[in-house]
Amino acid sequence: MYRSLALVVAFVAVFASPAARAQSTDARVIAAEKAGEMIIGSLANMTISNQLCAVGDAEALKRAVGAIDRRFRFCVGKDPAWSQLLGDFETEEKQALAEGSPRSIGSFVLEEFARVRGTEVHLEGAATYCARLPWKMLLEPAAATVEAKADFMRAHPTAKLDEGLAFFHFILGLGSDPAWVEASCDTDFWPPFAGLDKR
């Protein structure tokens, strides 16, 4: 169950669906799309876990989504090619812009995923979902104490816990790094994180 913890988003691939997949030959857009598949998919699961399992900070999750939205608008302003990430969310983006709303790609994809995954989770049951992963450690960095990690690893000796913690904490960090939002978009949409380009 926990052996692919670092890539838990294998089951949350929203960008992989035809409705959301950008149609691009731009290598930068394709790379950003693949990373976004993992990041926003995981962020949606984190949001569901926050609501169902009473772990994590809802405001921290909202800040991460908001940062992705702002990053997208910033990068499109610098290079319209990044708008290809919208896929079938072009209508939603046009409406948000017309209304002066800050909501953009991060919000749209997360909400679509949460709608689909939320139905599956309710069928699965909250207790099963909440027990599936060590959500408290994943969503609350301070909870990943030496003792908590050791306890978990005794029960799941093959789990890649440190990789999973690093990835989820990276996602949380998106909302607390204002410099990333307006960093150069010339080559990369997302900040660097080992493994995002190795899918």
Side-chain angles (χ1 to χ4, degrees):
M1 180 185 299
Y2 292 95
R3 60 189 171 81
S4 60
L5 183 62
L7 300 179
V8 66
V9 291
F11 65 96
V12 300
V14 177
F15 272 111
S17 70
R21 176 71 70 174
Q23 300 298 315
S24 177
T25 57
D26 188 322
R28 301 170 309 153
V29 173
I30 294 169
E33 179 182 69
K34 289 181 179 179
E37 179 177 306
M38 298 172 68
I39 293 168
I40 304 178
S42 293
L43 191 49
N45 263 329
M46 294 163 80
T47 300
I48 291 170
S49 301
N50 171 254
Q51 295 167 353
L52 289 185
C53 315
V55 294
D57 178 357
E59 291 305 312
L61 297 171
K62 289 177 184 175
R63 285 194 296 272
V65 176
I68 295 168
D69 289 342
R70 293 192 307 278
R71 172 68 170 170
F72 176 76
R73 294 265 176 89
F74 174 80
C75 289
V76 169
K78 297 293 183 183
D79 182 348
W82 290 113
S83 65
Q84 296 172 73
L85 285 172
L86 281 171
D88 284 356
F89 292 109
E90 290 182 12
T91 300
E92 289 85 346
E93 177 71 357
K94 286 178 182 176
Q95 182 176 343
L97 287 168
E99 295 172 351
S101 170
R103 288 168 29 82
S104 191
I105 188 68
S107 296
F108 306 146
V109 173
L110 184 139
E111 288 166 8
E112 175 65 15
F113 172 79
R115 181 185 63 77
V116 173
R117 182 63 179 144
T119 300
E120 296 170 356
V121 169
H122 285 296
L123 291 173
E124 177 182 26
T128 301
Y129 179 81
C130 292
R132 185 177 302 281
L133 291 171
W135 291 114
K136 187 170 181 65
M137 285 195 288
L138 291 169
L139 271 70
E140 301 175 14
T145 63
V146 173
E147 294 80 6
K149 290 166 66 175
D151 288 345
F152 177 83
M153 291 306 297
R154 275 192 291 274
H156 309 281
T158 61
K160 296 182 179 181
L161 180 61
D162 286 335
E163 292 177 37
L165 291 171
F167 182 58
F168 278 72
H169 297 172
F170 161 80
I171 293 171
L172 287 173
L174 295 176
S176 58
D177 181 10
W180 163 70
V181 173
E182 296 189 0
S184 172
C185 310
D186 290 346
T187 58
D188 298 307
F189 183 88
W190 302 100
F193 183 85
L196 281 180
D197 57 349
K198 299 176 181 178
R199 293 209 52 224

